[in-house]
Structure formats: C-alpha cells, structure tokens
Amino acid sequence: MMKCLKRIAKHPTISVVNSCTTLKEVKQIHAQLVVKGTLNNPHFHGQFVATIALHKTNNLLQYANTILHSQQTHPTLFTLNSMIRAFSKSSTPSKSFHFYANILHSNTLSPDNYTFTFLVRTCAQLHVHVTGLCVHGAVIKHGFQHDPHVQTGLVFMYAELGCLRSCYAVFEGVVEPDLVSQTAMLHACAKCGDVDFARKLFEEMPERDYVTWNAMIAGYAQSGRPREALDMFRSMQLEGVKLNEVSMVLVLLACTHLGALDQGRWVHAYVERYKVGMTVTLGTALVDMYAKCGNIDKAMEVFWGMKERNVYTWSSAIGGLAMNGLGKESVDLFYTMKREGVQPNGVTFISVLKGCSVVGLVEEGRKHFDTMRSVFGIDPQLEHYGLMVDMYGRAGRVDEALNFINSMPMKPHVGAWSALLHACRVCKNKELGELALKKIVELEDKNDGAYVLLSNIYAEQKNWERVSSLRQTMKAKGVRKLPGCSVIEVDGEVHEFIVGDKSHPRYSEIELKLEEISRCLRLTGYVANTNPVLFDIEEEEKEDALSKHSEKIAIAFGLISLKGVPIRVVMNLRICWDCHNVAKMISKNFNREIIVRDRNRFHHFKHGQCSCKDYW
C-alpha cells in the first residue's frame, strides 16, 4: 500500500513547478532532476513532462515535448495522455493525434478512457466534422462508448460541431446523467439553438451550479432572446448563485442587445463593489455595452481605465465612437492604437471605416481600406466592401459607389447593394435604386427591406402606381415587411413595443401622451411627412399610421415614465424620416434628451438637433 502511495505522490522537486514558473526556472529544475537521476524513473519522468506540458504557456509545452522525445525508454500511457490533453488546449490541437498514434503503435500500451476524453476535446477544438466522427468510431471500437466522461466529451464535441441530433443520441445513452453530463447537454442545446429544450433540462436538474446557469444565460443571449437572458440572470441572483466573470460578460452581452443601460451599470457596480478582476474580456464587454447603450463617455472612461487592452478592446472603442456619430474621434483613436504598437485586425478596420463613413471622410476611408492589404496583409471581406459603398453613398457620390461595387474582386453581396439603394433613396435616384433592388432580389428574393426602401422612393415621388406594383410583387413572392419593434428600459425593466400592439398595461396613458405630443408639435408648425407611407390612402389615415410607429410609442412611454434622465430606445429597423423629425422636435419642445439606436446607428436628439446630421 505504501509503495502504491509513493508512486502516486508527486516528487517534491517537480511540485515546485506552478503557474508562475518561467521557462528559465523550469530548465533549472530539469537540471536538478537529471543530476539526481530522478528522471530515470519512468513515473517521475512522466510526472515532470505532464506538469510542464499543462502549464499555461505554449513555451513550456514545446519544452515538454523536447524532454519527452529525449527519453531513452518508452513513455507511459499517463505521459502520452497528458500530452494529448495539453495539446487539445493549445493553439495547435491537431498535434494531439501524434501522441495518440504513439499509443496505437506501442506494443505495450492501449488507449483508455482518459485518452478518448482528451482526444474528443481536441476534435471540439478543431471543428472538423469528419475527424470527430472518426474519433467517435475509435471510441466504440475500443469499448469506451458507455464511459460517462467520454460520453460527456462527445456531447460537447458534437455541440461545437453544430450536430444537435448527435448530441441527443449520445446523451440518451448515458445511464445515470450527472451534473457534468447534464450541463454538457444543456450547453449543447443552448449553443445549437434549442433553448426551450435546454430550459426543460435545466428545470429538471436536481442541482445546478454557476456553470449551468451561465449555459442557460448564454443560450438565451446568443439565440436572440436577451430579455429571457436577463430574466435568467435575475433568477440566478435570487437563488444566491455566485457570479463569476463569465456570468457578467454574458449579462453584458444581453444588456448590449437590448440597450439595457441600468442593468449594465449594475454589473459594473458589482465588479467594483466586490473587486472582481478587470480582465481584458470583461473590460471589453463593458466598453461595448456602454458604447452600444449610447453612453460613449462612460465607455471611454472604462477604456482608458483598463490596465490591459487587446485589439478587440481598441476595436470596440473605435466602433463605439463611430456608432455614436464621433467619426473624427474614432479615426484619431485608430492612429493612437497604431502608435501604441497594437496590430489592427479585420474587426478594427470595420470600426474605423464606420468612423470615416459617418462624418464623410471618404479619402481617409479609402486610404485605410487600401492599407488593409498593402500594409497589414488583411484581405478585405464583404463587410469592408459594403462599408466603402456606404461611405461613397453618404457623401452623395452614388456613381462612384456603383463603380466601386463593379470593381469588387468577388460577387457583390446584399450589403453592398443595400448601401447603394439607401444612398439612392437619400439622393432620390430612382433609376439606380431600381438597379440596386434588382440585384438584391437576385441574391435574396424575399429581402423586405429592399422593397420597402424602393417603395419609399416611389412614394416620395407620388408614383402610387409603382408603389402598388411593387406591393403586388411582394405579395406574390410572399415577402412580408418585418414589423417595427422598439425596446426601452425603465427602472431596470425592459419594455417592448411592436407596431399595432396595444397590450402594454399602460397603453391608455401612452395614447394620451401621443395625443399631447401631436397637439404640441402642430402648434409649432409640425406637418407629418407622409411620403414614405406605402399606401395610396387618405392623408389623415397616413398620419394615423405614422403615429403608431413603435419608436414613437416607446418615446411617449419614456416621457411618462422617466424623469431627469435621457430616453433610450433600441429599434430593430431603421428609424423613419417622420419619427426622426418628431424625435428632434420632442427633444426641443419637451426639453428631453432622446437617444435612439436603430439597426444602423445611434441618433442623439438634443435641443432640436440630431447627431446624425439628418443622414441615416
């Protein structure tokens, strides 16, 4: 028994190695072990290799590999499994298969459940479907398909591969699912979009830890259901479950989607109150949340207060400035980033091109676009091309925008043609707008936004025959206009308004406020801009249709519910011209700051002015 314990115990010299040990120190420890002859013992040799292989830095992993290959005797199964495990977590996970091959080619070794547990993790990292299937076949061949650890790993692997049906099949074979396997299945359902089944699993689990709660929050947040993500977070708090960095980053993601600034502030306050370490990931999530909730000053305060920033932090700050209409500042920050030696990536250039676009810096934007490949070796992607088209269009240079599209090295995508179509609407260029719509429909025959934009061009020209013809085409193709939806946060609670929906408990108060707004604005000379209304109906009916737009309802609710703070509204569509004008007038006549985040950008309304300079 004592002999067995001696074999299990780690050698005291090897135990010195910890997460803070440097490569230089490891080499010194290695030298001591060689001098003492400790590494002649295969068990201790394997322990040393495993210890440094599983260290947090890749430098030590490579050194562990060198030590392994310098051994005269054959490595133990424990050593080879440790190398598979280490490489499965590394930036080069495919190297795990080299050590698996060593096991298969050995005359004395056979893979065990740990081998496949770590190898399955490798497949999850690689995201190669065929490789995953081959490893699953090897699991069955060697008789480990019913091992609970391997089964849990397979569920996780298939989730990463997006194969939910395979997850179900593996999970059904688990005889007695424990917390780990149940959490893996819940994670799989949440990741692959079956959030309702994940919730069912969640409710049936006899015990739940913070990992389980985080999986559910992530599922809702990443499936476009941020309100339910925040509801889950509140339940998590009531249950007294400890919050960790992952919890807070996920909640910030949901807050960002909804524009729920109050709840985002609560997370920030929690971080500061409990002295949670401000990691790069958490700090970047806070910057992104504040910027996309319209509080760019706080976003930049967090940004400059961070001790460490990576390229994604810089990109979030640059993009946040651009989204909030501060294009010049976003470009300046890009130059600061380069001066500090941070290498930009494709996301950074998306941010800086948006900054150039919102303030009309066309030549500046073109320069940055050209340097992507020539200086930084980054091939522009479709989104970069779409932003260049948008940039030309915002500057009223629609012919150059078309020439740019025609010069693209790949087939132009919907984003590029949509940017051109929107520019045609602003410039009232019907002919080019028709060309853009034709190209969009060829790519996406049910793109409702494109039909609506061209309909607006016709309606503004009073060409009701073309409007009617376009609507008939939409009807024949089954194209339905996406209903407008606006969200506003009041006292930490998110309220959602959909056009035509009167189910809100305070809707009668909202209608009274809308009537008050209408009377007030008419006294100041407001006339409804009914041109974009798609129907050839009486003017009074058009005005009534405009008054029920979701953004107007949300603003009215904000006026009756919020005192002394800006009214913040998040929309799923672009704000219409009439609602834009109304918001400007409300900001002046009711002396309220209104911040609207539509599908494209922010509109800050204050004292009768808007940050977008009336182009959106």
Side-chain angles (χ1 to χ4, degrees), residues 576-588:
C576 83
W577 285 15
D578 185 71
C579 290
H580 184 271
N581 290 334
V582 167
K584 281 204 302 184
M585 297 180 76
I586 290 174
S587 72
K588 180 179 180 180

Side-chain angles (χ1 to χ4, degrees), residues 218-284:
Y220 281 128
Q222 293 164 4
S223 299
R225 295 162 68 172
R227 290 185 67 182
E228 288 159 287
L230 292 182
D231 289 342
M232 181 64 64
F233 176 63
R234 279 191 287 269
S235 298
M236 182 180 182
Q237 292 173 261
L238 292 173
E239 292 272 337
V241 181
K242 182 183 177 182
L243 305 180
N244 64 355
E245 180 193 351
V246 175
S247 312
M248 289 180 281
V249 169
L250 290 169
V251 173
L252 288 171
L253 174 65
C255 293
T256 300
H257 283 318
L258 285 171
L261 181 60
D262 288 345
Q263 296 192 56
R265 282 179 179 140
W266 184 94
V267 173
H268 193 184
Y270 184 95
V271 170
E272 293 179 333
R273 185 184 309 120
Y274 294 102
K275 302 189 186 308
V276 177
M278 183 63 77
T279 64
V280 176
T281 302
L282 181 55
T284 302

